[in-house]
C-alpha cells in the first residue's frame, strides 16, 4: 500500500458520516465558505452538517424578506438527506419576521419535511435563555433599520437590550473580509461603552468569531453569543447530542 493511501486510510473513518446526527443548514447564498467552515468545525465526533442555499444579496429588508420565499422549498431538498434537524441559519432573516412569523416558518418547515426545525433567531433566544441572560447588548452586521427588528424580537422574547450598534454592512461579503481579531477589537470597544449587561450578542453569520470567541468571553468576563455557535448549540440540543464542544465559548461547553 502506498504512503498516500495509508495516510488516507488513517484519515477516513470506517463508519458512515453523521452516524450520531446530521444537521441540516439553510445557508445564505452569498456565503463564501466561512459559515460552512464554522459549522463543520463545531461538529462533535459523529456529527455532520448538510447544506442547501437560499437566495440572499444585499443586507436590506426587501432581500431578507425574499429569503423566506426559498426557505421551505430548500428545506424539502435537505429533507431528502434525512437530517435530524434543520435550521434556517441567517439570524436577521428570522428576526425581521417577528416572534410569531419566525415560529410560523418553523412550523411550515416541520410540516413540509416531517423533521424538527429551528431558525437562527430562535436559536439565539434559546441560547440566551440557557445562559440565564436577561440583559444583553447587540453588535450587529446589519443596517440600523434591520437591527431594530433584532432588538424588537429579543424584547418580545423577554430580553432587555439597553444598547445596540449597527455596523451597517451593505453586503455580507464586507463582514467576511474582517478578521476575527478585528471583530474582537470592535466588540470590546462596543462593550466598554455599555458594560452594564449580562451578555453580548454578535449578530451576523458574516462575522468570523470562532478563533476569538473564548478569548473575548474571558476578557469581557461574560457570555458572548454569536450566530453560528448559537445555531449549532440549538441544533445539537434538538438532535439530542450531548457532547460538549470545547474552545469556542461557554455556550457549547455547557450540558444540553
Amino acid at each position: 500500500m502506498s504512503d498516500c493511501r495509508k495516510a488516507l486510510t488513517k484519515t477516513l473513518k470506517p463508519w458512515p458520516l453523521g452516524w450520531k446526527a446530521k444537521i441540516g443548514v439553510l445557508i445564505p447564498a452569498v456565503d463564501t465558505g466561512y459559515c460552512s467552515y464554522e459549522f463543520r468545525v463545531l461538529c462533535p465526533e459523529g456529527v455532520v452538517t448538510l447544506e442547501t442555499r437560499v437566495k440572499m444579496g444585499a443586507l436590506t429588508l426587501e432581500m431578507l424578506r425574499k429569503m423566506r420565499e426559498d426557505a421551505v422549498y430548500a428545506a424539502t431538498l435537505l429533507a431528502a438527506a434525512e437530517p435530524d434537524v434543520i435550521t434556517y441559519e441567517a439570524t436577521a432573516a428570522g428576526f425581521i419576521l417577528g416572534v410569531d412569523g419566525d415560529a410560523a416558518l418553523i412550523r411550515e418547515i416541520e410540516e413540509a419535511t416531517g423533521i424538527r426545525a429551528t431558525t437562527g433567531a430562535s436559536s439565539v433566544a434559546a441560547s440566551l435563555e440557557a445562559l440565564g441572560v436577561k440583559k444583553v447588548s447587540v453588535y450587529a452586521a446589519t443596517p440600523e433599520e434591520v437591527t431594530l427588528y433584532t432588538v424588537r424580537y429579543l424584547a418580545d422574547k423577554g430580553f432587555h437590550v439597553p444598547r445596540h450598534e449597527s455596523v451597517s454592512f451593505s453586503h455580507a461579503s464586507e463582514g467576511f473580509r474582517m478578521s476575527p481579531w478585528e471583530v474582537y477589537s470592535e466588540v470590546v470597544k462596543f462593550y466598554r461603552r455599555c458594560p452594564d449587561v449580562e451578555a453580548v450578542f454578535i449578530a451576523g453569520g458574516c462575522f468570523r468569531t470562532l478563533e476569538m470567541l473564548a478569548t473575548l468571553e474571558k476578557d469581557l468576563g461574560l457570555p458572548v453569543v454569536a450566530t453560528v455557535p448559537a445555531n449549532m448549540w440549538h441544533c445539537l440540543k434538538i438532535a439530542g447530542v450531548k457532547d460538549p464542544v470545547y474552545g469556542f465559548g461557554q455556550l457549547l461547553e455547557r450540558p444540553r
Side-chain angles (χ1 to χ4, degrees):
M1 185 182 293
S2 69
D3 290 342
C4 181
R5 188 170 178 183
K6 287 178 182 177
L8 185 61
T9 301
K10 289 180 180 179
T11 301
L12 296 177
K13 305 297 184 183
W15 48 79
L17 289 173
W19 58 268
K20 184 172 287 186
K22 293 183 286 188
I23 309 297
V25 185
L26 300 176
I27 202 165
V30 296
D31 179 62
T32 57
Y34 289 112
C35 190
S36 301
Y37 168 76
E38 289 193 344
F39 270 105
R40 289 167 189 161
V41 167
L42 295 176
C43 286
E45 181 72 25
V47 176
V48 68
T49 53
L50 310 169
E51 299 165 9
T52 295
R53 294 185 177 231
V54 296
K55 69 175 72 175
M56 186 182 181
L59 284 172
T60 63
L61 282 173
E62 181 184 9
M63 178 54 66
L64 291 168
R65 286 173 176 141
K66 283 183 178 179
M67 287 180 69
R68 194 205 188 289
E69 297 172 9
D70 271 2
V72 177
Y73 174 68
T76 63
L77 298 180
L78 272 176
E82 300 181 338
D84 298 279
V85 58
I86 294 172
T87 182
Y88 181 50
E89 183 269 344
T91 46
F95 288 135
I96 66 162
L97 300 176
V99 172
D100 291 341
D102 186 57
L105 175 58
I106 291 172
R107 288 194 300 271
E108 284 185 47
I109 291 173
E110 290 180 338
E111 290 168 1
T113 64
I115 295 167
R116 291 195 65 186
T118 185
T119 65
S122 180
S123 294
V124 167
S127 298
L128 292 169
E129 289 170 4
L131 291 165
V133 167
K134 283 298 181 183
K135 193 175 184 182
V136 58
S137 58
V138 175
Y139 183 79
T142 47
E144 179 70 3
E145 66 172 349
V146 177
T147 305
L148 290 175
Y149 280 87
T150 300
V151 174
R152 187 180 309 160
Y153 181 102
L154 293 175
D156 289 345
K157 279 285 192 177
F159 301 101
H160 176 42
V161 184
R163 185 180 181 92
H164 69 273
E165 185 168 312
S166 301
V167 180
S168 294
F169 292 140
S170 60
H171 197 278
S173 60
E174 296 173 57
F176 296 138
R177 288 195 289 267
M178 285 183 73
S179 77
W181 298 104
E182 287 179 280
V183 179
Y184 166 94
S185 177
E186 293 303 315
V187 173
V188 168
K189 288 187 283 187
F190 167 65
Y191 169 72
R192 287 174 179 165
R193 293 192 289 272
C194 182
D196 186 23
V197 292
E198 298 167 332
V200 175
F201 169 39
I202 303 176
C206 62
F207 283 131
R208 297 163 56 192
T209 63
L210 292 195
E211 293 90 337
M212 60 78 173
L213 204 53
T215 301
L216 182 60
E217 285 193 332
K218 178 174 176 289
D219 291 348
L220 297 186
L222 44 71
V224 177
V225 172
T227 292
V228 173
N231 269 270
M232 180 56 91
W233 173 83
H234 202 205
C235 286
L236 293 173
K237 180 178 175 64
I238 292 170
V241 178
K242 305 297 184 183
D243 309 52
V245 181
Y246 293 107
F248 306 105
Q250 60 183 278
L251 176 67
L252 283 159
E253 295 179 1
R254 294 168 63 92
R256 293 179 210 104

